[in-house]
Amino acid sequence: TDGTLTDGGRPSHSITVTGTDFGSSCTASTTEIKIGTYEVPCGNVSSWASTSVTFTVPTGTGLPNGGASTSGLIVRRDSIDDNTPLTFFVYPRITSGTPITGRQGDTITVSGDAFGATQGTSTVVINGTAGTIATFSDISIQVTINGGLSTGSIVFTRGADAKTSNNYSFTI
């Protein structure tokens, strides 16, 4: 897990939720973890007990942003959603930058998870300078390097909720 995140997790992170009366096991569509309307697959649940559930935040396409209230984390038991959802965001995660070196004017592809369904006001910052986004999807972004003449990192910020990715090393 990422100890700096207090209101969510990144794809592939392990999350433990504690409470009461969760039941004894995950059963698709009836007893499960939900992030908003997104049902976390039972295959992502590593432990389920009456007072705690441990799951891995899914990876790939179609992930929710999460949020507060009914957009947050919900434990469902016997087809009934918990009436006190937790604020929970699925933070973006950068898994690769191709190529991992470049210079001003080059276009790189940033790959990962949970970038969001639409670009909106999302940004990619390369070594402290905002890049120009050419193409955007929830798992891949092509961005042109506009500056940044030193080695540093790539950071993505999702416009919908201002949640930022991990830092990914990049060399100029």
Side-chain angles (χ1 to χ4, degrees):
T1 62
D2 185 338
T4 63
L5 304 179
T6 59
D7 62 350
R10 294 190 201 289
S12 81
H13 282 183
S14 179
I15 304 293
T16 299
V17 180
T18 58
T20 59
D21 203 25
F22 290 154
S24 59
S25 65
C26 184
T27 308
S29 298
T30 60
T31 301
E32 63 189 348
I33 293 287
K34 293 171 47 179
I35 303 169
T37 59
Y38 179 88
E39 298 175 0
V40 175
C42 287
N44 286 52
V45 175
S46 58
S47 169
W48 193 294
S50 179
T51 59
S52 70
V53 176
T54 301
F55 70 98
T56 302
V57 178
T59 61
T61 61
L63 297 177
N65 291 350
S69 188
T70 57
S71 295
L73 190 137
I74 299 165
V75 177
R76 169 178 266 206
R77 179 170 180 220
D78 298 329
S79 299
I80 300 170
D81 289 351
D82 181 7
N83 62 3
T84 55
L86 301 172
T87 296
F88 187 89
F89 290 92
V90 177
Y91 278 73
R93 175 182 71 145
I94 296 174
T95 57
S96 68
T98 307
I100 59 169
T101 63
R103 60 178 179 242
Q104 189 170 352
D106 288 352
T107 298
I108 61 171
T109 299
V110 178
S111 300
D113 309 283
F115 294 149
T118 60
Q119 178 181 338
T121 59
S122 298
T123 60
V124 176
V125 174
I126 304 164
N127 297 345
T129 302
T132 301
I133 296 174
T135 65
F136 184 93
S137 78
D138 61 344
I139 60 169
S140 180
I141 302 167
Q142 286 192 327
V143 61
T144 302
I145 301 169
N146 289 331
L149 302 174
S150 62
T151 296
S153 62
I154 302 170
V155 178
F156 169 78
T157 301
R158 188 171 53 215
D161 53 23
K163 298 303 180 189
T164 59
S165 71
N166 52 306
N167 291 324
Y168 190 84
S169 294
F170 187 76
T171 304
I172 297 286

